Amino acid sequence: MMASSVESQSGMLDMKFDLYKNTIGHVLEEDQEVYAIWYIEDFKVSDSSQVQKFLHCKEAAVDSKMLLSKVETDFGYSQVKSTGEVWIGDPINVSGTWLFDIAVPLKVDGKIVGAAGYIIKVDYLNKIVSEALKAEDGACKIITGNGIVVAHADKGQIGHKTDEGDDTDAIIERVKKNELFSDYVYSST
């Protein structure tokens, strides 16, 4: 939504930024899964004082400056800036809370002018995997393209490389290639 709006308005630097802040606040209030929303528009400016940065977090006790700094270094901002592609990040532990982000480039006239993203608590995905296969004799987990566990019934697995025994590397390669496949792995758990 934000990316489309920025593109249609030729960026935010020429607009009332408060309108976007209000919209972000409203989206955050309505969407229970979203932990924070961030926005940075800086790719088209040479004067760093004109860089627009904003992060709104649902939890008031969170240090927004620290979290925005993490967006620039650990979350999807730098990846989107360098690739111009949508980014879904690996889970990151921030002050004891596992988070991941989804970031999109902001484009004006075909040029990247910034990035925006959602930060989501991994707990949301854990709800999904804890319900999956509940009535079956099996388990579900979500991993990134790098093989890092994002959601697992055992929360201690989050942030670690998935372990499927001898099949681990083959599974990760198939995930990286976006191949549709199924596999059965037998384990003590």
Side-chain angles (χ1 to χ4, degrees), residues 143-145 167-184:
I143 64 171
T144 68
D167 295 338
T168 299
D169 292 334
I171 289 171
I172 292 171
E173 284 306 311
R174 294 178 99 173
V175 169
K176 284 181 181 178
K177 293 177 184 175
N178 292 320
E179 289 182 10
L180 184 60
F181 70 97
S182 65
D183 197 0
Y184 294 92

Side-chain angles (χ1 to χ4, degrees), residues 87-91 141-152 157-165 167-177 181:
W87 171 263
I88 301 175
D90 289 344
K141 65 179 152 184
I142 299 174
I143 64 171
T144 68
N146 298 323
I148 304 299
V149 176
V150 176
H152 194 287
Q157 297 294 317
I158 296 170
H160 298 284
K161 187 174 181 180
T162 189
D163 184 7
E164 310 301 339
D167 295 338
T168 299
D169 292 334
I171 289 171
I172 292 171
E173 284 306 311
R174 294 178 99 173
V175 169
K176 284 181 181 178
K177 293 177 184 175
F181 70 97

Side-chain angles (χ1 to χ4, degrees), residues 81-164:
K81 186 174 179 177
S82 66
T83 67
E85 301 290 327
V86 173
W87 171 263
I88 301 175
D90 289 344
I92 297 171
N93 191 320
V94 178
S95 304
T97 302
W98 283 100
L99 306 168
F100 74 98
D101 76 324
I102 301 169
V104 298
L106 303 174
K107 297 179 181 178
V108 174
D109 298 328
K111 294 179 181 176
I112 298 171
V113 297
Y118 284 169
I119 298 174
I120 302 170
K121 281 187 175 180
V122 167
D123 291 346
Y124 167 67
L125 296 176
N126 276 332
K127 290 177 192 174
I128 295 169
V129 299
S130 66
E131 294 297 318
L133 302 175
K134 199 172 194 174
E136 305 292 327
D137 185 21
C140 176
K141 65 179 152 184
I142 299 174
I143 64 171
T144 68
N146 298 323
I148 304 299
V149 176
V150 176
H152 194 287
D154 175 4
K155 291 183 181 180
Q157 297 294 317
I158 296 170
H160 298 284
K161 187 174 181 180
T162 189
D163 184 7
E164 310 301 339

